[in-house]
């Protein structure tokens, strides 16, 4: 017997308001701490791990809304981290899953899941 998994989108949220509260990005690791955003990244097929993995700041693509964020690791594991927030807002662009003590004091932190399996 096949198991079906269904996802439904709430119809009460209109697309423009939902998009205005959503952020998705990939950042490049930068030794100067700037970590610029890019729209895509391509590595040659012969790139040796972890050179490609370490080139991406935060090691993956980030998708976030005011209530939760996800990081999809861009390596052979393709694992997923969950960033569950205590305050609804967009904040991962600032923290990038690496919350500082000052950000912790501002309650810019959440619960991480998935890293224990690494």
């Amino acid at each position: 017997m096949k198991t079906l998994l269904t996802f439904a989108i709430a119809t009460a949220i209109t697309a423009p308001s939902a998009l205005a509260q959503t952020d998705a990005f990939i950042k490049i690791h930068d030794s100067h701490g700037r970590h610029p955003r890019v729209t895509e990244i391509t590595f040659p097929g012969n790139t040796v791990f972890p050179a490609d993995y370490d080139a991406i700041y935060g090691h993956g693509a980030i998708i976030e809304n005011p209530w939760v964020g996800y990081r999809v690791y861009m390596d052979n594991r393709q694992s997923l981290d969950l960033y569950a927030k205590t305050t609804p807002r967009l904040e991962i662009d600032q923290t990038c899953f690496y919350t500082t003590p000052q950000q912790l004091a501002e309650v810019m932190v959440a619960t991480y899941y998935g890293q224990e399996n690494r």
Side-chain angles (χ1 to χ4, degrees):
M1 171 185 274
K2 290 185 179 181
T3 303
L4 299 177
L5 180 60
T6 303
F7 295 96
I9 298 173
T11 57
I13 300 174
T14 62
S17 68
L19 291 175
Q21 296 182 51
T22 301
D23 194 12
F25 59 88
I26 298 172
K27 289 185 175 186
I28 300 298
H29 180 74
D30 177 5
S31 61
H32 300 288
R34 292 182 296 248
H35 313 298
R37 287 179 174 226
V38 295
T39 55
E40 69 179 57
I41 187 167
T42 303
F43 294 99
N46 61 351
T47 303
V48 179
F49 179 84
D52 49 357
Y53 179 72
D54 288 341
I56 301 169
Y57 184 68
H59 305 295
I62 308 291
I63 303 165
E64 173 188 29
N65 68 33
W67 302 276
V68 69
Y70 302 95
R71 170 173 45 186
V72 181
Y73 281 94
M74 300 180 104
D75 65 359
N76 61 327
R77 295 168 292 182
Q78 298 288 302
S79 59
L80 182 69
D81 277 347
L82 174 65
Y83 188 93
K85 303 173 188 184
T86 56
T87 304
R89 62 181 169 197
L90 297 178
E91 62 189 49
I92 299 178
D93 186 42
Q94 297 170 44
T95 67
C96 210
F97 279 78
Y98 303 115
T99 311
T100 66
Q102 179 183 354
Q103 291 166 333
L104 283 170
E106 296 171 14
V107 194
M108 290 186 79
V109 71
T111 306
Y112 300 88
Y113 299 98
Q115 296 201 30
E116 68 277 358
N117 295 328
R118 299 152 52 79

